[in-house]
Amino acid sequence: MSARPTVDVVVATNRLLPYLAVALQSVRDQTYANRRLILVDDGSEDPAGLERLAGPDAIVLHQASAGLSVGRNAGIAAGDGEFVAFLDDDDIWPPERLDQLVRVLEARPDAVAAFGDGRYVDTDGRPFGTWTTEEAPPEAFLSGATPIPRIVTLVVRREAILRAGGFDPSFRFAEDDEFILRMLRVGPMAGTGTTVVDYRRHDRNVTLADWRERYRASVRAIRTNVADANAMGDERSARLLRRNLRRYRSMMAAAVPGRVAERLRRREFGDAAADLWDGVRISPAGFTRGAFAKVARRS
C-alpha cells in the first residue's frame, strides 16, 4: 500500500508568542503521519528561539521582515508535498485535523482545497464560540452568497496553488481572502463538516484592526480578483465578484448603526459621527437596513 500524500505545514511568524509552542505541538500530535513542518521566521527578534521550538525535524527559514504573504510563499516554495496547510502561530489543531481534510481531498480529486469549521478559544485555550462554513459551489462563494472558508481551516493542493499563484505580497491584510477567492476561480472547495482548528482570541490578533482598515483591505481583495478575472477574459467570475462587492459593502454598512450606538453610549461623539458618515458613504441602503434592524431588536 502506497504512502499517503505529504502535507507541508507552513507556519510564518515574526514573534515568539507564548502560544507558539502549543501551536507547533498540535502539529506533532496529528494522527496523520506524512507531514512536514516548515517554519518561516519573518524577521523575529529571536531566531534561535524559533529554531528550538520548531525542533530538529522541521525546515526553518529566516528572512528579513517582509510580511505574512511573503513568508507563506517562501514556506510553500521550500516544500514539495502534494498538499499545503497553513497554521497561525497562536492557533491549535485537533489531532484528527489533517487526516480528515486529506481524506476529503482524496475522495474529491476535483477539489482545489478542503476546509472545515472552527472554534474560538481564549488565551487559556477555553472554548467560547464556534463558526461553521457551508459547502457550496464556487459561484456561491465568489458572489458572496455563502461566506468563503477561512485560511486557518484549509488544506490546499500544491498544483492548484501553482495554477492560481501564491499569496499577493502587496497585501498586508486580507491577503488570505484575496488568495482564497483566486483559488475558487480555479476550482471547488470541499468541506469536512468537522471542527479543524481552535482559533485563539487575544489582544495581539491581527483581526482586531480598525474596521475601516479591514473594510478597505477586503474591498481591495475583491477588486483585485475582479481586475484579474477581467484580464483573463473570465467575465463570469468578474460578474460574480462584483456582486460579492455590493453584498460586502452593504453588510459592513449594516453593522455601523450598532457601532454608532455603542460609541454614543460611551460618549465618544466624534468617533460616532465618523462612523455614521462612513457607514452612509459605504452603502446608504445597507446602513438604513442596519438601523431599522437595530430599532426592531430594541423594540
Side-chain angles (χ1 to χ4, degrees), residues 143-145 242-252:
S143 70
R242 287 192 292 269
R243 191 178 306 163
N244 188 333
L245 183 59
R246 291 192 294 271
R247 281 187 167 124
Y248 179 72
R249 291 171 66 94
S250 179
M251 178 192 72
M252 289 296 287

Side-chain angles (χ1 to χ4, degrees), residues 257-275:
R259 190 174 289 113
V260 169
E262 180 60 22
R263 296 280 200 193
L264 292 173
R265 188 186 67 80
R266 298 200 299 254
R267 305 181 68 82
E268 299 169 351
F269 300 118
D271 290 334
D275 284 348

Side-chain angles (χ1 to χ4, degrees), residues 104-113 135 138 157 159-160 163 183 186-190:
V104 168
L105 287 172
E106 289 174 328
R108 287 283 305 276
D110 63 314
V112 299
E135 184 168 343
R157 291 190 193 276
E159 183 270 337
R163 286 176 61 191
M183 292 288 294
V186 173
M189 295 187 178

Side-chain angles (χ1 to χ4, degrees), residues 58-286:
I59 297 173
V60 180
L61 310 176
H62 299 282
Q63 63 182 33
S65 179
L68 190 56
S69 293
V70 174
R72 283 175 173 163
N73 286 341
I76 293 167
D80 59 4
E82 182 177 341
F83 301 134
V84 182
F86 305 101
L87 172 66
D88 283 354
D89 57 13
D90 48 6
D91 292 342
I92 308 167
W93 285 356
E96 301 82 11
R97 173 217 167 89
L98 288 180
D99 188 60
Q100 292 170 343
L101 291 163
V102 171
R103 285 188 186 280
V104 168
L105 287 172
E106 289 174 328
R108 287 283 305 276
D110 63 314
V112 299
F115 64 88
D117 303 327
R119 180 171 60 172
Y120 296 107
V121 299
D122 64 15
T123 54
D124 296 318
R126 292 186 295 256
F128 65 89
T130 61
W131 80 84
T132 60
T133 304
E134 298 178 14
E135 184 168 343
E139 295 80 8
F141 287 132
L142 289 172
S143 70
T146 302
I148 62 174
R150 303 190 190 187
I151 192 73
V152 293
T153 73
L154 292 184
V155 166
V156 186
R157 291 190 193 276
R158 177 177 296 275
E159 183 270 337
I161 296 176
L162 297 178
R163 286 176 61 191
F167 291 85
D168 186 332
S170 70
F171 278 79
R172 290 298 184 105
F173 200 75
E175 76 292 327
D176 47 356
D177 290 348
E178 193 280 329
F179 171 77
I180 291 169
L181 289 173
R182 205 158 6 98
M183 292 288 294
L184 285 163
R185 289 164 45 211
V186 173
M189 295 187 178
T192 64
T194 61
T195 298
V196 297
V197 67
D198 284 347
Y199 182 86
R200 195 187 298 270
R201 290 278 197 180
H202 56 89
D203 59 5
R204 293 175 68 182
N205 280 135
V206 176
T207 50
L208 295 179
D210 180 78
W211 74 270
R212 293 174 185 81
E213 182 180 356
R214 290 187 286 112
Y215 167 78
R216 287 191 293 267
S218 296
V219 165
R220 182 179 169 229
I222 299 171
R223 285 178 172 165
T224 297
N225 271 274
V226 171
D228 187 53
N230 280 328
M232 297 178 66
D234 184 5
E235 173 54 32
R236 182 166 177 268
S237 291
R239 184 174 64 254
L240 293 168
L241 287 159
R242 287 192 292 269
R243 191 178 306 163
N244 188 333
L245 183 59
R246 291 192 294 271
R247 281 187 167 124
Y248 179 72
R249 291 171 66 94
S250 179
M251 178 192 72
M252 289 296 287
V256 171
R259 190 174 289 113
V260 169
E262 180 60 22
R263 296 280 200 193
L264 292 173
R265 188 186 67 80
R266 298 200 299 254
R267 305 181 68 82
E268 299 169 351
F269 300 118
D271 290 334
D275 284 348
L276 175 64
W277 168 252
D278 285 336
V280 172
R281 180 177 56 84
I282 288 169
S283 172

Side-chain angles (χ1 to χ4, degrees), residues 13 15-16 20 39 41 44 46-55 60:
T13 184
R15 53 194 185 175
L16 199 62
L20 180 58
L39 180 67
D41 169 17
S44 76
D46 189 1
L50 287 179
E51 292 215 18
R52 285 194 300 272
L53 281 181
V60 180

